[in-house]
Amino acid sequence: MSDTSEAPQLLRLAASDNVLVALGPVPAGPARITGGGVLTVERPVTLGHKVAARDIAAGEKIVKYGVPIGSATAAIASGSHVHTHNMKSDYTPTYVLDETSQGGRGD
Amino acid sequence: MCWTRHRREAAVIEGFLRQDGRKGIRNHVAVAYLVECARHVASEIVLPYREAGAQVIGFPGCFPNDYAQKMMERLCTHPNVGAVLLVSLGCESFNRFQLAEAIAKSGRPVETIVIQKAGGTRTSVAEGQAWVAARIEELSRAERVPMGLEELVVGTVCGGSDGTSGITGNPAVGLAFDRLVGEGATCIFEETGELIGCEEVMAARAATPELGRELTRSVEKAARYYATLGYGSFAAGNAEGGLSTIEEKSMGAYAKSGSARIDGLIKPGDLPPKGGLYLMDVVPDGEVRFGFPNISDNAEIAEMMASGAHLTLFVTARGSVVGSAIAPVIKICANPETYARLSEDMDVNAGRILSGSSLTEVGAEIFDLTLAVASGRKTASEQLGHAEFILTYKSFEPIGPACLPS
């Protein structure tokens, strides 16, 4: 996607969400949010990955599409990558290959 | 969104009329092996006739299974199939007599080759090829007849999902589903193991409260089943693409179902009684046995075909390349980076939604392509010769009375 001018880089799917979705590769630093606003992203994330829209406490629900998609396993600072290293399913464990699970670091 | 202004006259596609009154959108000769030991012979028979419409399906197991028997009966009498050659080794347990009788009763030409009786591999292949060549010649003379959308059955599946699936490809298919259902078609979504976490929002869309409870129970069964197995319906590539949990994957997968009322809950091989939107419960009943409910995407595609699906809308993000035997697969790519790499395998670029195209536009493209493919246009996977098929052991109990409210 175009990285110029006002094109948003992070997608807010629902008003109550505490995570935003990367609309393409997003570098560290300030990133534009759909519908307005800016979030400072801690380190680069790749397309489709999530970052915390605000500080999230350990044990708090992660909310995307306006519904819980799991729980934080550690305190997550605003702008941090949210993935299998700091959240878990409330149903069944997530299977990952260590070699491919680092998606937040950028290709 | 208002689809009604696009409404067309009833007959918008063309298909092949079968004796049971159903119409097919393809005219395949199915060559079906009845145990893995007969698969090579079946594949050799089909080899020279792949381009002409012969395709291999089959069941690998040597021991009997009611589910597999029902699946094979449904698939061999699928509206896209015009003739069937059964290939048996001879000593397997599969009831080839019952299957051949069901096919004959449907009005289709059927022949059984038993390798142990025919004289071996070479003889069986020669006999099989002669039979297939004759059927292809006959079927090539069939003409398409007008077919209404209310006669069309469409399934949807997603495979190789990532963080883009739930915001591009899946909601775009959801819009196409809404429009198809609105025009009277039958639409099937499935994989209750990938609806874990969505059960309450989904139940609220059920035609009756009793059906809503059945929908919820089917997802609870899937959650229990996968918890026993120790894994969700979740592959490593899902995590690489940004999905962190089964609930998150579920919310994306759920978007494929669109927003129409849910008219029923079916199990593999059950034929939906009328147009509308149906959830297929693919997780076996009873104690956990026979392994994973969906060992790969083609297992689910075959199950929807067994319930009459003429074609499948397949949303992929990491980049699946599969097609299917018998029923065409339209591949909708959710991730624009994947589309750029694998465009030769894709039919629709839904990833362009991330750079400004509207969901409405992509949904309309999927709807239009569905009609074109139903009338004979080949999909990317068909052009590339993909004809994957897989069928494994399962066990189901019949659906309850609340599953199909009248």
Side-chain angles (χ1 to χ4, degrees):
Chain A
M1 80 175 279
S2 161
D3 200 14
T4 58
S5 68
E6 305 302 305
Q9 297 160 286
L10 295 172
L11 173 65
R12 184 187 292 280
L13 284 158
S16 57
D17 287 0
N18 56 15
V19 291
L20 305 173
V21 181
L23 286 165
V26 178
R32 294 174 299 277
I33 303 171
T34 52
V38 167
L39 178 76
T40 302
V41 173
E42 180 209 12
R43 61 184 181 86
V45 288
T46 52
L47 172 62
H49 281 250
K50 299 175 290 300
V51 292
R54 58 170 174 79
D55 290 341
I56 300 171
E60 197 178 334
K61 296 289 183 193
I62 305 296
V63 180
K64 181 185 173 187
Y65 300 105
V67 299
I69 58 160
S71 304
T73 53
I76 305 173
S78 175
S80 299
H81 183 214
V82 178
H83 200 23
T84 50
H85 62 289
N86 56 13
M87 71 170 290
K88 66 174 182 59
S89 170
D90 294 327
Y91 289 83
T92 53
T94 297
Y95 176 71
V96 297
L97 291 173
D98 290 342
E99 289 80 359
T100 61
S101 65
Q102 306 297 321
R105 287 184 189 162
D107 284 330
Chain B
M1 165 170 340
C2 179
W3 289 120
T4 51
R5 64 198 162 85
H6 298 290
R7 202 173 183 90
R8 299 153 192 244
E9 295 307 308
V12 291
I13 51 180
E14 295 188 320
F16 300 98
L17 180 61
R18 307 296 178 198
Q19 277 190 20
D20 65 0
R22 290 193 290 172
K23 289 170 188 161
I25 65 167
R26 294 292 183 271
N27 213 3
H28 289 302
V29 176
V31 177
Y33 60 91
L34 305 182
V35 62
E36 174 65 18
C37 320
R39 188 171 65 85
H40 173 71
V41 168
S43 300
E44 289 293 302
I45 290 169
V46 160
L47 200 56
Y49 304 105
R50 287 196 331 173
E51 300 284 316
Q55 290 186 333
V56 177
I57 61 173
F59 179 63
C62 187
F63 307 102
N65 181 249
D66 289 343
Y67 157 83
Q69 188 85 29
K70 178 179 182 181
M71 286 285 293
M72 288 299 287
E73 286 189 21
R74 291 294 193 208
L75 293 163
C76 289
T77 57
H78 187 280
N80 290 355
V81 171
V84 184
L85 177 65
L86 303 179
V87 186
S88 161
L89 175 62
C91 49
E92 75 276 5
S93 303
F94 197 99
N95 191 335
R96 64 179 185 266
F97 307 102
Q98 183 184 321
L99 178 58
E101 193 184 324
I103 298 165
K105 204 177 283 178
S106 79
R108 288 169 176 79
V110 57
E111 179 67 87
T112 304
I113 290 180
V114 179
I115 298 169
Q116 289 166 350
K117 290 183 182 166
T121 298
R122 192 171 289 113
T123 322
S124 299
V125 170
E127 278 181 24
Q129 287 182 345
W131 194 86
V132 167
R135 299 297 84 71
I136 283 174
E137 164 61 22
E138 289 164 10
L139 292 177
S140 70
R141 292 197 290 271
E143 286 186 16
R144 286 185 182 261
V145 297
M147 177 173 172
L149 281 188
E150 72 284 357
E151 299 177 279
L152 184 69
V153 185
V154 180
T156 187
V157 66
C158 47
S161 298
D162 72 15
T164 64
S165 304
I167 53 185
T168 64
N170 289 342
V173 165
L175 290 180
F177 254 36
D178 287 348
R179 190 166 166 193
L180 286 162
V181 169
E183 302 255 3
T186 301
C187 290
I188 306 172
F189 69 112
E190 49 72 65
E191 194 41 275
T192 45
E194 293 171 8
L195 293 168
I196 290 168
C198 308
E199 53 271 24
E200 283 173 23
V201 275
M202 181 169 65
R205 287 168 57 196
T208 66
E210 293 75 21
L211 172 61
R213 280 192 285 278
E214 294 283 354
L215 296 175
T216 305
R217 273 199 281 269
S218 74
V219 178
E220 288 167 354
K221 178 180 73 173
R224 277 197 308 275
Y225 210 93
Y226 281 102
T228 304
L229 291 168
Y231 292 115
S233 178
F234 199 101
N238 297 145
E240 184 181 6
L243 296 175
S244 306
T245 64
I246 184 61
E247 303 95 291
E248 181 181 16
K249 180 176 171 179
S250 293
M251 281 308 297
Y254 175 67
K256 297 198 300 305
S257 68
S259 59
R261 185 186 67 195
I262 299 172
D263 295 304
L265 174 71
I266 57 174
K267 292 179 182 177
D270 296 336
L271 301 179
K274 58 179 195 291
L277 179 63
Y278 297 83
L279 171 65
M280 175 176 283
D281 175 8
V282 302
V283 175
D285 294 310
E287 63 189 279
V288 175
R289 50 189 158 164
F290 301 142
F292 273 82
N294 52 334
I295 67 172
S296 59
D297 298 319
N298 279 96
E300 299 155 40
I301 292 173
E303 289 179 326
M304 289 190 290
M305 285 172 359
S307 286
H310 291 95
L311 59 86
T312 304
L313 304 179
F314 187 133
V315 182
T316 185
R318 304 315 291 165
S320 173
V321 301
V322 304
S324 173
I326 294 180
V329 170
I330 296 175
K331 283 213 296 299
I332 296 135
C333 190
N335 183 320
E337 296 170 358
T338 303
Y339 185 83
R341 275 197 304 276
L342 297 181
S343 60
E344 67 188 37
D345 284 285
M346 302 300 163
D347 297 289
V348 176
N349 175 14
R352 69 182 195 270
I353 289 165
L354 295 180
S355 51
S357 293
S358 71
L359 270 173
T360 313
E361 173 195 322
V362 176
E365 181 184 332
I366 295 168
F367 176 85
D368 291 341
L369 184 58
T370 299
L371 270 50
V373 167
S375 289
R377 176 164 157 187
K378 287 199 169 187
T379 65
S381 54
E382 281 183 298
Q383 287 170 23
L384 292 161
H386 283 281
E388 287 84 351
F389 183 84
I390 190 165
L391 176 58
T392 58
Y393 285 88
K394 279 191 184 184
S395 60
F396 285 100
E397 292 156 14
I399 55 171
C403 292
L404 291 174
S406 51

